[in-house]
């Protein structure tokens, strides 16, 4: 029972026995740093916390490997507020957290999530975005060891409701929870009411709330945004756009008006205007992988493939920064997309995919390296092309085309001996691969001459002459090979 005597029974998703035992054993640990300093905050905000638990069947989920924080959160709330310990649960994984939230909400309960900014060595930003997308009205507080402005901006944009820098006292916890549940100022309360009206598609009522906000604080960006959304919902789009623009002018660092403007122009099919404002957002908040992808897509639609590739690369790198291995496949997919439209522009993405594949110990398909080798050859980067072809050959050792391509890279580097060796290996794998390609046979014939492989050169040039007696200088080269002075070399 809590101090109000209203505690309901809590539905608890079944945990593994060891998980439960470990969680309860932790309660006896003496390594405490969540300390009570004074009762002022507790007495001031406790009613808000009680109301959340009693009337909304609320509970707190903690996604953290910091068991000291968890145990003291749980122990302090039980000791100071008499809140049942089962109302504060430690989550073992992100997947399990999502599953439990779904179950709790199905049973009409209200989970309040505390989640570390980094969990199991990875940023939780993508998870938070996913949670906020699925559970739009769920409160999320991010736990951080240090407050970095760029990181904070990312999490705010993802929809986080509040932050706590650890270590934290019970007063801080209670105050943060209360202020997250109910904004401490009158305008904040009105803003939340307006957003709730919009969520319920009560546009006329939302407009009235926005008017109240603007009376309390003329020019309030939040008030302008709510009024704009209400007018848009009432099919007054032009008026809505004016309000979004005004909100952006009044708060240049506020991203939401710019996002609304981008969405507005995209709905109208005006990609140019959408791109213009999306670039402004990216300049203000440059660490959002999804936005980089969107910028890449818009540039791609405008057939600016090099710029599209640049933004796709940035999206991949930001995903890699979150330590997500799917960044490798992202790079390959983007490379394929660009390659099909403008092959040369795909080089940075192909190189990035190869680098990340090595980092995550993932084997790409041989064709990725073969394609990279082709494009590097075009850029006169023959040594790097050879390295790419070598990787392709390791993955597909019986493919004569890879060896031929590698030989061509050596030709561009004027290393005719190595080129001849690769051509010979290609022929040994498939003796007839050049029969339908006299230009390939002619090139090999020339290279074999330069590498003093007279026998192979003769074979290639005889084939060319038999198919097309007038092909380039094949006949004269063949005659020179058969002259007495070249007869000594039978290799």
């Amino acid at each position: 029972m809590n101090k109000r005597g209203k505690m309901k029974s809590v539905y608890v998703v079944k945990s593994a026995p060891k998980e439960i035992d470990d969680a309860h054993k932790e309660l006896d640990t003496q390594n405490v740093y969540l300390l009570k300093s004074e009762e002022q905050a507790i007495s001031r905000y406790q009613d808000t916390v009680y109301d959340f638990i009693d009337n909304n069947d609320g509970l707190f989920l903690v996604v953290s490997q910091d068991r000291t924080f968890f145990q003291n959160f749980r122990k302090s709330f039980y000791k100071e507020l008499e809140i049942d310990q089962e109302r504060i649960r430690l989550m073992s994984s992100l997947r399990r957290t999502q599953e439990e939230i779904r179950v709790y909400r199905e049973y009409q309960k209200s989970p309040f999530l505390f989640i570390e900014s980094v969990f199991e060595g990875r940023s939780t930003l993508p998870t938070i975005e996913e949670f906020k997308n699925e559970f739009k009205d769920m409160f999320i507080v991010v736990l951080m060891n240090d407050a970095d402005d760029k990181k904070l901006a990312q999490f705010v944009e993802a929809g986080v409701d509040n932050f706590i820098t650890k270590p934290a006292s019970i007063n801080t916890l209670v105050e943060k929870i209360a202020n997250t549940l109910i904004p401490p100022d009158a305008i904040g309360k009105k803003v939340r009411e307006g957003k709730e009206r919009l969520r319920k598609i009560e546009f006329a009522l939302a407009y009235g709330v926005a008017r109240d906000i603007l009376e309390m604080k003329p020019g309030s960006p939040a008030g302008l945004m709510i009024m704009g959304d209400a007018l848009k919902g009432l099919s007054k789009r032009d008026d809505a756009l004016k309000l979004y623009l005004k909100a952006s002018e009044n708060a240049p660092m506020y991203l939401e008006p710019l996002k609304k403007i981008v969405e507005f122009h995209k709905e109208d099919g005006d990609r140019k205007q959408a791109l213009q404002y999306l670039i402004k957002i990216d300049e203000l908040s440059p660490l959002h992988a999804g936005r980089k992808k969107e910028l890449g897509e818009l540039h791609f639609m405008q057939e600016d493939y090099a710029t599209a590739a640049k933004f796709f690369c940035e999206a991949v790198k930001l995903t890699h920064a979150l330590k997500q291995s799917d960044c490798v496949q992202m790079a390959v997919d983007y490379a394929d997309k660009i390659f099909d439209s403008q092959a040369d522009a795909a080089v940075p993405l192909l190189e990035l995919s190869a680098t990340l594949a090595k980092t995550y110990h993932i084997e790409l398909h041989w064709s990725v390296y073969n394609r990279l080798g082709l494009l590097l050859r075009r850029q006169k980067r023959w040594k790097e092309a050879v390295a790419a072809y070598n990787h392709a050959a390791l993955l597909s050792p019986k493919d004569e085309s890879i060896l031929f391509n590698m030989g061509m890279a050596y030709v561009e580097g004027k290393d005719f001996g190595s080129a001849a060796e690769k051509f010979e290996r290609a022929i040994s794998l498939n003796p007839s691969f050049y029969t339908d390609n006299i230009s390939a046979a002619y090139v090999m014939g020339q290279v074999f001459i330069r590498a003093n492989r007279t026998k192979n050169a003769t074979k290639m040039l005889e084939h060319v002459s038999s198919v097309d007696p007038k092909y380039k200088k094949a006949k004269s080269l063949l005659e020179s090979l058969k002259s007495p002075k070249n007869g000594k070399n039978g290799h």
Side-chain angles (χ1 to χ4, degrees):
M1 297 287 287
N2 65 31
K3 292 180 180 178
R4 300 174 133 208
K6 292 184 179 179
M7 183 66 72
K8 298 179 183 179
S9 63
V10 139
Y11 175 88
V12 177
V13 176
K14 185 176 181 181
S15 301
K18 185 177 186 305
E19 185 182 329
I20 294 176
D21 290 344
D22 288 347
H24 282 279
K25 284 176 184 176
E26 293 289 347
L27 294 176
D28 298 325
T29 303
Q30 297 302 308
N31 183 20
V32 174
Y33 63 75
L34 183 66
L35 301 174
K36 175 188 172 187
S37 58
E38 54 179 302
E39 294 188 354
Q40 183 178 1
I42 296 174
S43 59
R44 180 178 177 184
Y45 295 109
Q46 64 183 10
D47 285 350
T48 302
V49 179
Y50 289 146
D51 181 68
F52 170 66
I53 291 173
D54 297 339
N55 298 325
N56 295 285
D57 213 354
L59 65 156
F60 304 102
L61 306 180
V62 181
V63 181
S64 175
Q65 292 176 309
D66 185 347
R67 288 178 176 262
T68 303
F69 172 83
F70 166 73
Q71 75 168 42
N72 287 286
F73 182 174
R74 204 179 199 194
K75 188 173 182 179
S76 298
F77 268 53
Y78 179 73
K79 181 179 178 182
E80 302 300 332
L81 299 172
E82 295 185 23
I83 290 175
D84 192 316
Q85 292 182 356
E86 285 298 344
R87 293 278 171 177
I88 303 167
R89 292 182 53 76
L90 182 66
M91 308 310 298
S92 60
S93 72
L94 296 174
R95 181 191 59 79
R96 183 173 179 82
T97 300
Q98 190 171 28
E99 291 172 354
E100 291 208 17
I101 290 170
R102 287 171 182 155
V103 173
Y104 286 131
R105 289 170 69 93
E106 183 181 341
Y107 279 80
Q108 306 302 309
K109 299 189 183 296
S110 303
F112 185 122
L113 186 67
F114 288 85
I115 184 168
E116 296 279 1
S117 61
V118 176
F119 183 72
E120 294 181 338
R122 297 184 180 183
S123 171
T124 55
L125 184 63
T127 300
I128 290 170
E129 290 176 329
E130 185 179 344
F131 284 2
K132 272 295 184 179
N133 186 54
E134 182 175 356
F135 316 115
K136 297 186 186 302
D137 58 345
M138 183 178 70
F139 296 112
I140 298 180
V141 173
V142 168
L143 305 173
M144 308 182 88
N145 292 319
D146 55 77
D148 179 288
D149 288 344
K150 288 184 179 179
K151 284 184 182 178
L152 288 174
Q154 284 182 280
F155 283 105
V156 168
E157 192 176 348
V160 166
D161 299 286
N162 222 322
F163 298 88
I164 287 179
T165 303
K166 300 186 299 178
S169 70
I170 184 173
N171 292 306
T172 298
L173 269 174
V174 172
E175 184 175 353
K176 288 281 187 178
I177 290 170
N179 288 341
T180 301
L181 292 168
I182 301 177
D185 60 298
I187 291 180
K189 291 182 176 71
K190 280 288 183 182
V191 169
R192 182 163 292 178
E193 180 188 349
K195 289 181 178 180
E196 182 64 17
R197 295 294 186 189
L198 290 170
R199 192 178 69 81
K200 293 180 178 179
I201 321 179
E202 298 172 347
F203 299 123
L205 293 174
Y207 182 89
V209 174
R211 188 176 54 204
D212 293 342
I213 295 170
L214 292 170
E215 286 178 1
M216 296 165 67
K217 184 180 178 182
S220 164
L224 292 168
M225 287 286 294
I226 292 169
M227 185 172 282
D229 286 347
L231 288 172
K232 186 179 175 186
L234 294 168
S235 300
K236 297 183 178 181
R237 289 177 59 83
D238 291 342
D239 292 333
L241 180 58
K242 290 175 184 176
L243 290 168
Y244 296 150
L245 289 166
K246 189 174 180 181
S248 179
E249 290 169 7
N250 291 357
M253 300 298 290
Y254 186 27
L255 299 183
E256 289 308 310
L258 293 171
K259 288 182 176 181
K260 292 290 183 181
I261 295 167
V262 169
E263 181 184 349
F264 188 96
H265 288 306
K266 285 170 73 176
E267 289 170 352
D268 284 352
D270 191 340
R271 291 176 187 158
K272 186 176 181 180
Q273 284 293 317
L275 182 58
Q276 176 186 333
Y277 283 97
L278 197 62
I279 289 171
K280 287 185 178 181
I281 297 173
D282 188 60
E283 289 171 351
L284 292 171
S285 179
L287 302 179
H288 194 289
R291 184 157 44 251
K292 299 293 187 185
K293 177 183 177 182
E294 190 175 3
L295 281 162
E297 294 288 356
L298 285 171
H299 279 99
F300 185 86
M301 290 177 189
Q302 292 190 341
E303 299 183 1
D304 184 353
Y305 301 116
T307 305
K310 170 182 168 289
F311 281 111
F312 286 148
C313 278
E314 290 178 8
V316 172
K317 289 175 183 177
L318 286 171
T319 305
H320 167 53
L322 299 175
K323 298 185 178 179
Q324 293 182 291
S325 61
D326 58 354
C327 64
V328 179
Q329 190 57 48
M330 277 179 63
V332 173
D333 292 342
Y334 290 150
D336 289 344
K337 185 182 183 77
I338 296 292
F339 186 91
D340 291 339
S341 297
Q342 190 180 85
D344 289 341
V347 171
L349 283 161
L350 287 167
E351 289 185 295
L352 184 57
S353 64
T355 299
L356 292 174
K358 189 181 296 183
T359 300
Y360 289 97
H361 306 291
I362 293 172
E363 281 296 356
L364 299 177
H365 192 269
W366 66 266
S367 62
V368 174
Y369 298 101
N370 192 49
R371 185 177 285 185
L372 176 58
L374 167 68
L375 297 178
L376 290 170
R377 278 177 53 203
R378 288 185 186 177
Q379 294 184 356
K380 310 300 182 185
R381 297 162 61 187
W382 71 272
K383 289 183 179 178
E384 291 158 279
V386 167
Y389 286 133
N390 260 319
H391 207 130
L394 288 172
L395 296 171
S396 185
K398 294 185 178 181
D399 191 318
E400 71 280 358
S401 65
I402 297 172
L403 291 168
F404 176 80
N405 291 338
M406 198 188 310
M408 291 302 296
Y410 277 119
V411 169
E412 286 157 15
K414 301 190 184 306
D415 184 348
F416 300 111
S418 296
E421 180 190 347
K422 300 305 175 186
F423 291 155
E424 287 171 343
R425 286 180 58 193
I427 293 168
S428 68
L429 285 173
N430 183 358
S432 62
F433 87 89
Y434 60 87
T435 55
D436 294 327
N437 190 337
I438 61 171
S439 60
Y442 182 71
V443 168
M444 287 194 291
Q446 289 182 305
V447 171
F448 285 139
I449 289 173
R450 292 186 178 231
N452 293 318
R453 263 86 160 174
T454 304
K455 183 177 179 181
N456 285 334
T458 301
K459 182 178 179 182
M460 293 298 109
L461 295 172
E462 283 179 341
H463 172 72
V464 173
S465 294
S466 69
V467 174
D468 184 356
K470 297 181 179 180
Y471 190 86
K472 295 184 178 180
K473 297 181 179 179
K475 186 176 181 181
S476 61
L477 287 174
L478 191 57
E479 288 173 353
S480 69
L481 284 173
K482 292 180 178 180
S483 66
K485 66 178 181 179
N486 286 319
K488 291 184 287 185
N489 190 343
H491 184 60

